[in-house]
């Protein structure tokens, strides 16, 4: 009996293993959470060194796809780094359309850098696991630059966060011949520049607000308050009678680009001439050396917008075909990014002269978007709560909501209370009353990963819709002894054309070229309007009026979501090879036998 | 030809001054005839004669000048061109006194356009005059000792070198590789010397479809046939060449690249074929920009170039004079204008987006993209858009008029030669964005009196609105609108729009040609300047005739006809420096109010002629306000002006600003009162409290 039991137990065990193991094996393979190779935190803010460290780790982990390089140096000598994503096994880098993604041209607009890091990480970690990601990485190239103003980013992260929008090229703001000699001073050494108030009972013109004891408000006419406000932390470093009047930088790096560049009195902060800034020059040199770039996204903050040009009304609206492409991408973008509106720069936001996406759109001929990341509506992000924010009596009213959010969701981490301080000039004062630099234009840390993923998703959608020329059906018909009519279909199923209307207007992209090789002479070439009805309706096809028919120039490229049929009438025999060569649409060939 | 190579050593200068003593002796009449000519030349100034200079010759000449004038002149390079040539800068300043970087500076720059070799020579000769006259001419000495001259005799040495190639093409551009017709091939269709005369001109061919006929008043010239007058077109005119790349156009993509004087930031002609891919794209342009923003002491700019505001000053509305083109050249250039538009496809697609590919907005309809465009927000947040100035400010005009009068008096130039409009030109940047008086002149003129230009239709289609012959060719708006070039089309459809939007070679001028008076001038002074028509066999067009204006002679007179012009321009330069604004602390006064309080009064005056800032300098915020600073601690000031204050601009001729401070101090304290001006020098007064 013992043996029988043992055998039975053994059989049962064996059976169990047989039954259970495939399930167990399946459980490891499919649909369970992936085990990520490279661990990166998306709930914190990386400074320049940490960004580059993480990029380095990714490049090491995925050497087949990733290449990390510097495109040049910032004013202070920091590298501006780009991560190239390409699968060399599916084609050379320059033969594929490339998506250019950058962020942080304004030094304080840091979360875009996190989105860039997230994008590299996500594409690599999901390659091979998610089919659509695999396809995207195989078909396209990505150039990702998480910070194009590393001086500004580092200044924001290391210092108090003030005046970090600009870069560090010196500007003499107070016209005294000295540069940056009088910036703010962190008198209490807590890493923040805060407000100063002094308690002067009955002598002041400010009082503590009834809305929240953290808020200072001016007293009404005829009233007296207990406080005076004495500006921001700082002293008159250069002894010229003014305080904090000449800080670092102060120009706008996003006004130094070469389309509609305007001098300072028309566009403040534009510097002396386009691409004067080392960072702008480095980026432009890189982009001009990579004409395969067919999509641009430049991440900024904040406001919750998907922006396109033109930046100024005087530039005139884009050609209608471009507008249609932008609209399809932008409107879908607004569905991917709740709380973000798709709008035109000059009419929906403000006029920008010499901005980056105007340059990339009009000077380089690339479909370009700029997202403003994070909308303060997202603090209370449901229709019901948004209604409450509009009620002045609600604890989350517009005036109070920030404090409520900080208290309840971030445990008062972002607010710096008033603290006593002995000021060298003003005596006993209190310093504080400020939000930390991460509050406001930057999402709360715990909401960052969603911001990253959704913005990445919009950008990958744009990347997927970059042009791609494919050869469709080919047909050969013998007309007489050695004369043949050849039809070749070219299709671009993507939203973006191979050459935008703007690029064709300005003639800034090399035209598409169609070449024919073979032992033939070409009698004529023309586009067929509708091959389906051709034999019935016999439409007239205008001949392409170019002298070199074996090298056709297609000046305005191939539109989006369009198939066109090219007709050759050739005299000869054998095989002919026809190649469609587009700088941004790729290069495809087909061989046709004449018989 | 070789005289200019002789180094004007000090010994030579001394040699030339000897004749004055001999002159006295010669009143006895012995060698009067011979030596009289020597006496007429400025003593101390040895004029170089001869032809135009290659790069090597120029380099030698500037180095020699610097070597021979070590106390006054230094030479450096501000950058290198694509072919590795240096952009030479000669700095002329007397030693001692105010540090050079704080002195008012005059920038003299030349030869931006590659074929304007005359400018190069004139700049060098003017410099030679300054250095040679330093010892003997008080005005020159004072000017060099107190101020600084910056001379860049050749801003486009690569283009200038093409002047000396075996076949002369009249190239203006530098050597940046450039696919002018954007067909994916570089420099595949340059000129061809059909008649082997070493010059590239034009050819005419009989063509019933042609637009031109022989000018009945002057058979060497051509004019456009006016169908309204029943005139038949009989000829087509093309640039001298062959359609090398078989794209249907001749000479549309020659060697050479970008026109430097189209590459600066004022009225930049976007997407015109020689303007570059973007403003300041060229090494020459960028070198100038990097240099000039570091030299804000430059208070005036004088350029030699193919535009003018000195022979004919700006109009009362602040516009420059019209361009003065040559019709014959324009007729041929017009044939290239479609080259960059070959291959537009408008039919043949199935799908969503094939319509409206070319032109904006489908017939002028202003499409607003993005259904969610929030125009309410835009109305709220927009200030009225500030636009860039495009005409000389009325307050600045009088200085241009005055300079022009003196210019003509000193140089004797009366009539402008061939000229073009200055879109993207350096001197325009220098006024409109750098903020100083900026002059441009070809440096020479047609000797004949008033221009007898014939009115004629422009090539390229109907006259556009407001385009009467002779209308002041206002430079296109400084902002991007660019006069409707390729932007919202205002109803122009189809092909005409394409012509406008596409690359037009040299920006087809709207002003009438001056061919007739130019030919008259050439016949009298430089017969080589017109190539008479001669029959030639053309591979594609058969029997044609080659002829027309010799390219190198359009922008330059024969070198040996420059004569005294170099020295005269040197005198003009000295005159310009006499106009500088000059701030001074004047009339200081101290009143002891008792109790340790002192009242200080002072006046700051501009003792020069020009204001401390041109109105455009203030407007463009490119000229820093003048700083007045009292050397006390801020807490010493009880009342009155602040320690550091600024004024934007102060007129010259003694106009003044008054200051008053009430300060705490003690008797015997010495206090500096500083006034520092970007373009008007500086001054410090020491005030003693008593």
């Amino acid at each position: 009996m013992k043996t029988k039991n043992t055998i039975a137990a053994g059989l049962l065990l064996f059976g169990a293993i047989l039954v259970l193991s495939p399930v167990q094996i399946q459980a490891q393979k499919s649909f369970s959470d992936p085990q990520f190779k490279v661990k990166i935190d998306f709930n914190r803010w990386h400074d320049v060194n940490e960004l580059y460290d993480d990029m380095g780790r990714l490049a090491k982990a995925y050497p087949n796809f990733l290449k990390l390089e510097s495109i040049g140096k910032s004013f202070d000598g920091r590298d501006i780094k780009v991560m190239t994503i390409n699968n060399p096994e599916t084609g050379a880098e320059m033969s594929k359309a490339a998506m250019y993604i950058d962020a942080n041209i304004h030094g304080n607009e840091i979360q875009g850098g996190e989105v860039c890091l997230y994008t590299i990480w996500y594409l690599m970690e999901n390659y091979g696991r998610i089919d659509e990601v695999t396809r995207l990485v195989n078909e396209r190239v990505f150039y990702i630059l998480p910070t194009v103003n590393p001086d500004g980013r580092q200044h924001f992260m290391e210092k108090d966060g003030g005046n970090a929008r600009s870069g560090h090229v010196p500007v003499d703001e107070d016209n005294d011949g000295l540069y940056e000699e009088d910036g703010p001073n962190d008198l209490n050494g807590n890493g923040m520049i805060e407000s100063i108030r002094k308690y002067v009972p009955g002598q002041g013109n400010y009082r503590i607000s009834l809305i929240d004891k953290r808020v200072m408000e001016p007293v009404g006419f005829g009233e007296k308050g207990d406080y005076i406000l004495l500006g921001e932390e700082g002293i008159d470093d250069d002894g010229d009678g003014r305080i904090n009047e000449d800080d670092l930088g102060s120009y706008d790096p996003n006004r130094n680009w070469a389309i509609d560049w305007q001098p300072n009195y028309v566009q403040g902060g534009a510097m002396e001439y386009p691409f004067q800034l080392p960072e702008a020059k480095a980026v432009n040199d890189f982009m001009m050396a990579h004409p395969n770039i067919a999509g641009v996204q430049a991440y900024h903050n904040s406001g919750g917008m998907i922006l396109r040009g033109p930046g100024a009304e005087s530039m005139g609206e884009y050609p209608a075909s471009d507008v249609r492409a932008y609209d399809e991408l932008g409107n879908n973008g607004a569905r991917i990014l709740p709380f973000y509106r798709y709008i035109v720069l000059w009419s929906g936001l403000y006029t920008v002269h010499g901005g980056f996406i105007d340059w990339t759109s009009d000077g380089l001929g690339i479909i370009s978007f700029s997202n403003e990341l994070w909308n303060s509506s997202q603090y209370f992000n449901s229709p019901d709560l948004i209604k409450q924010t509009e009620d002045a009596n609600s604890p989350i009213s517009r005036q109070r909501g920030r404090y409520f959010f900080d208290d309840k969701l971030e445990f008062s981490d972002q607010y710096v209370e008033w603290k006593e301080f002995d000021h060298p000039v003003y005596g006993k004062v209190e310093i504080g009353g400020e939000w930390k630099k991460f509050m406001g234009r930057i999402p709360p840390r715990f909401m960052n990963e969603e911001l990253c993923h959704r913005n990445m998703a919009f950008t990958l959608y744009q990347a997927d819709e970059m042009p791609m020329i494919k050869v469709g059906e080919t047909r050969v018909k013998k007309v007489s002894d050695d004369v043949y009519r050849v039809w070749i279909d070219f299709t671009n199923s993507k939203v973006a054309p191979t050459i935008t209307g703007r690029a064709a207007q300005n003639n800034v992209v090399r035209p598409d070229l169609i070449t024919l090789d073979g032992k033939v002479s070409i009698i004529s070439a023309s586009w067929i309007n509708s091959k389906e009805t051709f034999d019935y309706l016999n439409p007239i096809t205008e001949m392409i009026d170019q002298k070199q028919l074996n090298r056709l120039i297609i000046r305005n490229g191939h539109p989006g979501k369009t198939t066109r049929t090219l007709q050759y009438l050739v005299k000869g025999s054998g095989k002919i090879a026809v190649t469609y060569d587009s700088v941004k649409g790729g290069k495809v060939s087909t061989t046709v036998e004449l018989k | 030809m070789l005289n200019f190579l002789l180094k004007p050593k000090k010994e030579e200068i001394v040699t030339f001054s000897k004749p004055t003593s001999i002159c006295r002796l010669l009143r006895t009449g012995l060698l009067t005839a011979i030596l009289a000519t020597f006496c007429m030349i400025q003593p101390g100034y040895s004029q170089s004669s001869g032809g135009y200079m290659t790069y090597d010759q120029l380099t030698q000449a500037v180095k020699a000048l610097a070597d021979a004038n070590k106390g006054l002149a230094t030479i450096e390079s501000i950058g290198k061109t694509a072919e590795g040539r240096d952009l030479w800068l000669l700095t002329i300043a007397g030693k001692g006194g105010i540090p050079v970087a704080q002195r008012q500076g005059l920038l003299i720059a030349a030869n931006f356009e590659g074929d304007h070799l005359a400018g190069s020579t004139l700049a060098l000769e003017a410099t030679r005059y300054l250095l040679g006259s330093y010892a003997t001419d008080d005005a020159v000495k004072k000017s060099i000792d107190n101020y600084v001259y910056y001379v860049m005799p050749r801003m486009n040495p690569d283009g200038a070198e093409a002047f000396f190639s075996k076949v002369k093409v009249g190239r203006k551009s530098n050597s940046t590789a450039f696919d002018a017709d954007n067909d994916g091939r570089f420099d595949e269709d340059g000129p061809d010397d059909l008649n082997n005369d070493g010059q590239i001109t034009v050819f005419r061919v009989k063509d019933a479809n042609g637009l031109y006929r022989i000018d009945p008043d002057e058979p060497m010239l051509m004019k456009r046939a006016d169908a309204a007058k029943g005139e038949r077109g009989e000829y087509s005119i093309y640039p001298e060449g062959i359609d090398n790349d078989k794209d249907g156009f001749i000479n549309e993509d020659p060697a050479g690249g970008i026109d430097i004087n189209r590459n600066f930031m004022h009225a930049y002609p976007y997407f015109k074929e020689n303007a570059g891919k973007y403003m300041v794209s060229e090494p020459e342009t960028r070198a100038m920009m990097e240099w000039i923003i570091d030299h804000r002491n430059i208070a005036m700019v004088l350029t030699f170039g193919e535009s003018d505001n000195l022979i004919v000053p700006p109009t009362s509305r602040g516009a420059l004079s019209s361009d003065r083109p040559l019709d014959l050249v324009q007729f041929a250039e017009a044939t290239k204008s479609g080259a960059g538009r070959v291959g537009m496809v408008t039919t043949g697609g199935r799908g969503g987006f094939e319509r409206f590919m070319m032109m904006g907005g489908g017939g002028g309809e202003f499409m607003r993209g993005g259904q969610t465009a929030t125009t309410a927000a835009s109305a709220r947040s927009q200030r009225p858009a500030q636009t860039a100035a495009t005409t000389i400010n009325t307050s600045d005009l009088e200085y241009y008029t005055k300079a022009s009068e003196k210019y003509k008096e000193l140089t004797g130039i009366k009539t402008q030669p061939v000229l073009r409009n200055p879109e993207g030109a350096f001197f325009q940047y220098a006024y409109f964005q750098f903020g100083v008086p900026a002059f441009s002149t070809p440096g020479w003129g047609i000797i004949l009196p008033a221009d007898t230009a014939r009115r004629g239709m422009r090539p390229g289609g109907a006259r556009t609105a407001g385009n009467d012959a002779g209308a002041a060719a206002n430079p296109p708006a400084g902002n991007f609108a660019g006069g409707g070039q390729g932007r919202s089309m205002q109803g122009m459809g189809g092909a005409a729009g394409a012509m406008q939007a596409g690359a037009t070679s040299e920006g087809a001028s709207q002003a009438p040609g001056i061919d007739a008076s130019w030919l008259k001038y050439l016949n009298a002074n430089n017969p080589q300047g017109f190539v008479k028509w001669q029959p030639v066999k053309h591979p594609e067009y058969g029997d044609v005739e080659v002829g027309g204006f010799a390219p190198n002679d359009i922008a330059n007179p024969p070198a040996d006809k420059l004569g005294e012009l170099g020295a005269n321009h040197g005198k003009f330069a000295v005159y310009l420096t006499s106009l500088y604004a000059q701030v001074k602390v004047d009339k200081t006064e101290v009143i002891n109010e008792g109790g340790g309080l002192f009242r200080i009064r002072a006046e700051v005056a501009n003792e020069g002629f020009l204001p401390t800032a041109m109105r455009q300098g203030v407007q463009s915020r490119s000229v820093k306000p003048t700083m007045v600073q009292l050397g006390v601690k801020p807490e010493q000031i009880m009342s009155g002006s602040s320690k550091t204050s600024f004024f934007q601009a102060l007129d010259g001729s003694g106009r003044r600003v008054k200051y008053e401070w009430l300060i705490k101090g003690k008797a015997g304290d010495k206090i500096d009162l500083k006034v520092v001006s970007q373009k008007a020098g500086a001054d410090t007064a020491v005030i003693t409290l008593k």
Side-chain angles (χ1 to χ4, degrees), chain B residues 398-399 402 578-583 604-612 650-656:
Chain B
E398 54 181 297
Y399 303 110
K402 191 174 154 72
S578 72
L579 304 177
Y580 287 140
Q582 185 65 56
V583 289
V604 171
N606 176 2
E607 300 293 349
F609 175 74
L610 291 169
T612 60
L650 182 60
D651 277 345
S653 307
R655 300 283 179 286
R656 50 203 53 228

Side-chain angles (χ1 to χ4, degrees), chain A residues 172 174-177 236 239-242 258-266 272-276 281 284 288 308 314-317 319-321 323-325 327-328 331 341-344 346-351 359 362 489 495 501-502 504-511 513 527-529 531-532 546-548 551 553-556 559-565, chain B residues 181-185 243 245-248 265 270-271 277-280 286 289-290 293 296 339-345 347-361 366-375 377-378 381-382 386-389 429 432-433 478-481 486-488 501 540 616 619-621 624-625 627 629 634 643-644 646:
Chain A
D172 179 9
D174 59 348
N175 292 322
D176 64 354
D236 180 7
D240 67 353
R242 295 171 297 170
I259 283 290
D260 191 28
W261 179 90
Q262 295 288 346
N264 275 286
Y265 72 108
V266 177
E272 302 299 325
Y273 57 93
F275 305 131
Q276 178 190 358
K281 183 168 196 312
N284 186 48
M288 297 199 83
R308 69 158 172 91
S314 53
M315 295 173 61
E317 176 60 294
S321 56
V323 171
R324 265 193 291 267
D327 282 356
E328 177 159 343
N331 288 329
R341 297 162 299 143
Y342 159 56
I343 51 180
V344 173
W346 76 266
S347 64
L349 184 58
Y350 43 63
T351 296
W359 166 245
D362 284 32
D489 279 358
V495 167
R502 208 41 148 207
Q505 261 179 349
N506 298 338
N507 221 354
V508 292
V509 172
R510 194 214 73 186
L513 300 169
W527 293 103
I528 305 297
N529 247 333
K531 72 176 187 187
E532 292 83 0
Q546 292 179 31
K547 293 230 174 121
Q548 282 190 299
R551 185 183 186 271
I553 295 174
I554 315 299
R555 183 70 59 178
N556 45 348
K561 294 193 176 176
T562 303
T563 297
R564 291 210 284 228
T565 308
Chain B
D181 58 347
N182 193 22
D183 67 350
R185 295 174 294 207
D243 181 7
D245 60 347
K246 301 210 181 354
D247 66 350
M265 306 97 75
Y270 286 90
F271 312 119
K277 295 209 162 123
Y278 50 91
M279 46 175 104
V280 197
R286 200 178 168 104
M289 285 311 302
E290 282 180 7
I293 64 179
R296 295 280 182 186
R341 312 308 290 170
V342 167
M344 285 295 206
V345 180
T347 56
R350 297 181 302 293
F353 294 163
E354 80 271 12
R355 309 222 7 110
F356 304 125
M357 271 176 297
M358 262 165 62
M359 296 304 138
F366 194 91
M367 263 195 70
R368 300 212 167 194
Q371 285 88 329
T372 51
T374 51
T375 43
S378 72
S381 61
Q382 298 284 354
Q386 164 81 292
T387 51
Y429 156 76
F432 286 102
Q433 293 182 18
N479 62 10
F480 182 64
R487 295 288 81 86
S488 37
E540 187 184 342
Q616 180 61 23
Q619 179 95 314
S620 64
R621 295 191 223 141
K624 280 195 186 158
M627 181 182 80
Q629 192 174 66
K643 167 181 173 158
T644 311
F646 296 87

